Amino acid sequence: MSTVEKTIDVDVPVRSAYDQWTQFEEFPRFMEGVEEVRQVDDRHCHWRTKVAGVRREFDTEIVDQLPDERVAWRTVGGEVRQKGVVTFQSLDEGHTRVRLAMEVEPEGVVEKTGDALGILDLRVKGDLKRFKGFIEERGQATGGWRGRVSPSDAAGPAPTGTPTGAPGTTGGTTGTPAPTGTPRTTGGTMGLTGPAGPADDVPVIPGQADRSSRGAGAWPPADRP
């Protein structure tokens, strides 16, 4: 797998930055190559991407989410294999450091050539810059999902079929009511491709110490260095 890690500082409070990241159905507005993200339930989403003329569809699962701190995901089905974590560090009341680490396994000539040329690195950097512009221009998030997802909640592949909840809810296949704010989806820089299948682990962001109760060797890492 190819690994990339990028950091950007955004001029909004940590809650605003985090809340916006949980609105992953908004990702096509600032992530290159992402055409659609459809929420299935609180932990799973279905993605459609187009990168260098190659269209892919795949499913993702949130494996760890802690409000104002981190969102970690992996692919669990479809034409992509990747995993990653995005963390949020409050610098002061009006500034937040967003750090994204991810691993992607390229597949095919187009993807492998692009990876060799550093396209993955450039795409992640560009997506973070566009995220910065998007949230700073608005000044506040378009919505927010403040639920907690623990690693023990991740239990396997995404549910299949069409969500039972109407658009704008988190009903999905589980039928649970939506939390306050617009629904969450899963995400990261997802417009990059590789073979299908769940990831067994995830990248560790360089320079981070795990301050959680799980210990220094656990993943995901804590959000603060």
Side-chain angles (χ1 to χ4, degrees), residues 102-182:
M102 61 183 296
E103 292 183 359
V104 176
E105 185 169 332
E107 180 184 26
V109 175
V110 173
E111 290 87 351
K112 290 180 179 179
T113 302
D115 179 64
L117 296 174
I119 299 302
L120 172 61
D121 188 82
L122 292 174
R123 190 177 302 280
V124 171
K125 183 177 181 180
D127 287 347
L128 285 179
K129 280 188 174 182
R130 285 185 289 272
F131 172 74
K132 173 182 172 71
F134 181 83
I135 187 61
E136 288 183 357
E137 182 178 358
R138 290 186 52 84
Q140 59 183 2
T142 58
W145 193 83
R146 310 291 296 176
R148 172 73 169 112
V149 176
S150 299
S152 60
D153 296 331
T160 58
T162 303
T164 58
T169 72
T170 57
T173 57
T174 62
T176 52
T180 302
T182 49

Side-chain angles (χ1 to χ4, degrees), residues 1-222:
M1 280 193 172
S2 298
T3 304
V4 63
E5 184 266 329
K6 293 292 180 183
T7 300
I8 197 166
D9 293 346
V10 296
D11 299 340
V12 296
V14 66
R15 177 162 183 153
S16 296
Y18 171 85
D19 282 354
Q20 186 59 59
W21 200 275
T22 68
Q23 301 305 288
F24 299 120
E25 290 184 357
E26 301 278 358
F27 275 11
R29 300 177 66 177
F30 55 83
M31 282 195 169
E32 183 180 357
V34 178
E35 294 188 331
E36 181 186 25
V37 180
R38 178 174 59 85
Q39 180 179 330
V40 178
D41 61 26
D42 285 348
R43 293 191 295 112
H44 299 96
C45 275
H46 184 74
W47 293 73
R48 289 195 303 107
T49 65
K50 183 179 180 181
V51 178
V54 179
R55 292 185 182 274
R56 303 286 188 187
E57 294 194 32
F58 56 95
D59 300 307
T60 54
E61 176 187 46
I62 289 289
V63 295
D64 191 9
Q65 178 167 347
L66 187 62
D68 299 337
E69 294 195 8
R70 62 180 174 266
V71 179
W73 76 94
R74 63 183 178 182
T75 51
V76 291
E79 303 172 278
V80 171
R81 181 181 174 88
Q82 64 174 238
K83 53 196 174 184
V85 56
V86 58
T87 63
F88 304 85
Q89 176 186 354
S90 178
L91 301 177
D92 56 38
E93 292 184 356
H95 300 86
T96 302
R97 181 158 294 158
V98 180
R99 187 174 294 176
L100 172 63
M102 61 183 296
E103 292 183 359
V104 176
E105 185 169 332
E107 180 184 26
V109 175
V110 173
E111 290 87 351
K112 290 180 179 179
T113 302
D115 179 64
L117 296 174
I119 299 302
L120 172 61
D121 188 82
L122 292 174
R123 190 177 302 280
V124 171
K125 183 177 181 180
D127 287 347
L128 285 179
K129 280 188 174 182
R130 285 185 289 272
F131 172 74
K132 173 182 172 71
F134 181 83
I135 187 61
E136 288 183 357
E137 182 178 358
R138 290 186 52 84
Q140 59 183 2
T142 58
W145 193 83
R146 310 291 296 176
R148 172 73 169 112
V149 176
S150 299
S152 60
D153 296 331
T160 58
T162 303
T164 58
T169 72
T170 57
T173 57
T174 62
T176 52
T180 302
T182 49
R184 55 77 57 72
T185 56
T186 61
T189 303
M190 310 299 280
L192 301 156
T193 64
D200 296 325
D201 56 358
V202 292
V204 175
I205 293 179
Q208 284 194 320
D210 188 345
R211 298 180 181 177
S212 74
S213 60
R214 297 188 301 276
W219 186 92

